[in-house]
Amino acid sequence: RFRFCTLFQQCHPAVSFSFFVVSELNFLWAAHQVHHSSEYYNLSTALRQSVTQQFSSWLFYLPLALMVPPSVFAVHIQFNLLYQFWIHTELVKDLGPLEWILNTPSHHRVHHGRNPYCIDKNYAGILIIWDRMFGTFTPESDKVVYGLTHPINTFEVWSVEFLYYPYLWQRFWEAEGISNKLSVIFKGPGWTPGKPRLGDIADIPQITGEEKPYDPAWSPSMQAYVFIQFILLLDVYNNLLMEQTMLSEITVLLLTAYVLLSLTCLGFLIDQRSNAVELEMMRCVLIMVLHRFGYIKPLVPLLAFPTEAFVLISAVYWSLLCVNQLTNRMKKQN
């Protein structure tokens, strides 16, 4: 019990410090901004994580190896992860006296806001006392508008994950002098020459409270189609995770590529991009091939035929749309 309590005291400042650093160092924010890019705030936001953040987060826990037994740390890190899942919600408004000690949904809503009063606030993992002690705490007041100060306005997975890196490189390349180039990397996302380390809060776009999340107008039938395809994709992803040690390297690479292609296609469909039709047609053909050769197996064997029938109908539908688009382009050219 003493060892766990000691870890509880030592590791939670590290958690808060890690959030502090990834939010205030631009090259680390490039990874963490994926989590903040959601303009909705619910439990799915907690799962919105960057594939690149894992390459830096271990640095904040490394000093604990000098004083904390691995078994104790393993328990703590899971507890910390589970705790931070449930605070991503708008359903819980106020927890009374616990608001003084714990990081609550109300406090974490502020952390995810793009209102000027929310910027660089409430870094806590579990205990909000660290923000209160170090002056980074602010209570929830005005309606919180979620997301980035400059929304990305896309659901396409590659843009969501990596769009910030070209932007960071462009800023680094255009900065004059080695000092400014290093500042672009190691100072805050809002920093520009002549400004404070974290930038000027006056540069943050003003929030009226009437902002609407990015929501492309797409039909209910398309929403149902994307939902069904995503459920089928989750089944493939789950099977891949469960059986990856028994699969060949080629199979793992093939299914991984299929998952990435599917996420890309579904993002294109939601964004209604011009090339979404051709890409989705090719993806449906690929699904049929993978089904036929046994690379993809439905969770319930009885669903094998309905799944193949659905994918076949989808492939025919997208093929017809593709032909129709091609015909219209040829007419316009003539």
Side-chain angles (χ1 to χ4, degrees), residues 78-144:
Q78 294 301 319
F79 173 72
N80 176 66
L81 183 65
L82 290 173
Y83 182 90
Q84 291 185 70
F85 174 74
W86 80 274
I87 60 177
H88 292 82
T89 178
E90 292 185 292
L91 297 179
V92 180
K93 301 303 181 183
D94 186 275
L95 294 180
L98 294 178
E99 300 281 341
W100 285 91
I101 303 171
L102 297 176
N103 186 24
T104 64
S106 176
H107 298 330
H108 204 60
R109 284 194 289 268
V110 171
H111 181 68
H112 274 260
R114 57 186 168 111
N115 313 57
Y117 85 92
C118 298
I119 303 299
D120 300 327
K121 298 296 182 182
N122 297 4
Y123 294 111
I126 294 181
L127 299 178
I128 200 64
I129 59 176
W130 309 115
D131 286 291
R132 294 184 183 275
M133 288 170 58
F134 295 110
T136 55
F137 172 76
T138 192
E140 185 179 17
S141 55
D142 296 338
K143 175 187 175 182
V144 178

Side-chain angles (χ1 to χ4, degrees), residues 171-301:
R171 286 191 56 193
F172 175 83
W173 183 256
E174 294 176 350
E176 298 181 358
I178 188 63
S179 176
N180 285 336
K181 290 183 182 297
L182 293 177
S183 294
V184 167
I185 297 175
F186 293 104
K187 290 187 178 180
W191 177 86
T192 54
K195 297 292 179 68
R197 180 178 67 86
L198 298 180
D200 189 346
I201 198 69
D203 295 335
I204 302 295
Q206 291 299 312
I207 298 298
T208 64
E210 302 298 324
E211 289 78 8
K212 301 295 183 182
Y214 173 65
D215 186 17
W218 48 317
S219 65
S221 59
M222 184 59 65
Q223 294 180 35
Y225 174 82
V226 170
F227 177 77
I228 294 173
Q229 290 286 3
F230 186 70
I231 295 300
L232 295 176
L233 180 62
L234 284 180
D235 182 36
V236 174
Y237 180 73
N238 183 62
N239 290 336
L240 177 60
L241 287 182
M242 293 175 59
E243 301 177 1
Q244 57 180 324
T245 57
M246 298 180 289
L247 300 175
S248 67
E249 293 182 0
I250 296 298
T251 302
V252 171
L253 290 175
L254 181 62
L255 292 180
T256 301
Y258 163 73
V259 170
L260 293 176
L261 174 63
S262 295
L263 291 174
T264 303
C265 288
L266 296 183
F268 277 23
L269 289 175
I270 297 173
D271 286 346
Q272 301 180 50
R273 299 197 183 187
S274 58
N275 56 345
V277 173
E278 295 92 336
L279 201 59
E280 182 63 10
M281 179 195 67
M282 291 187 293
R283 190 184 76 91
C284 289
V285 173
L286 177 60
I287 296 175
M288 290 191 296
V289 173
L290 293 176
H291 265 284
R292 183 55 53 190
F293 286 93
Y295 288 102
I296 295 180
K297 300 177 182 178
L299 183 62
V300 180

